[in-house]
């Protein structure tokens, strides 16, 4: 009985492989894709720092060191987002534009 199950499983695997590999539709050839060497070099140069960085699963000396690094990183992120929010709110050009708009409406 076990052999018939194995044979049936093998037959199903062969049929599935043939269905997946067979080419029912062949797309017409496209124009050649030109790859610029400069794009490849720029991509490689941009991803190079990721190769030399410390791995993401860095081993900490203790749990306290890990928590301190998370707290420091979280504080830095809060400061960065806070500065971005401040820059968005206190945009001097927007403030001046609103002042000029109010002045123009006051003259009319």
């Amino acid at each position: 009985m076990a052999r018939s199950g194995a044979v049936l499983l093998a037959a199903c695997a062969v049929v599935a492989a043939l269905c997946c590999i067979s080419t029912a539709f062949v797309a017409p050839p496209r124009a050649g894709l030109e790859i610029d060497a400069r794009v490849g070099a720029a991509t490689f140069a941009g991803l190079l720092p990721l190769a030399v960085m410390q791995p993401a699963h860095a081993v900490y000396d203790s749990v306290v060191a890990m928590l301190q690094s998370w707290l420091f990183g979280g504080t830095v992120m809060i400061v960065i987002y806070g500065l971005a929010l401040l820059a968005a709110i206190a945009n001097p050009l927007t403030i001046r534009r609103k002042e000029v708009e109010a002045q123009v409406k006051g003259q009319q």
Side-chain angles (χ1 to χ4, degrees):
M1 192 72 174
R3 287 188 179 238
S4 65
V7 171
L8 181 63
L9 181 64
C12 288
V14 168
V15 170
L18 289 176
C19 287
C20 292
I21 293 174
S22 68
T23 54
F25 173 76
V26 178
R30 294 186 290 171
L33 180 64
E34 296 182 20
I35 299 174
D36 191 4
R38 294 176 297 173
V39 173
T43 303
F44 179 74
L47 294 176
L48 188 61
L50 296 176
V52 295
M53 293 295 294
Q54 187 177 10
H57 62 287
V59 179
Y60 292 97
D61 293 338
S62 65
V63 175
V64 174
M66 182 183 67
L67 293 176
Q68 286 176 344
S69 70
W70 276 93
L71 287 172
F72 179 75
T75 304
V76 168
M77 291 301 297
I78 288 172
V79 168
I80 290 172
Y81 280 121
L83 290 174
L85 180 65
L86 179 67
I89 291 173
N91 187 354
L93 294 175
T94 304
I95 294 172
R96 178 67 183 142
R97 192 177 303 124
K98 289 179 181 178
E99 290 175 354
V100 170
E101 184 180 341
Q103 185 180 9
V104 168
K105 284 184 180 179
Q107 287 178 357
Q108 291 177 354

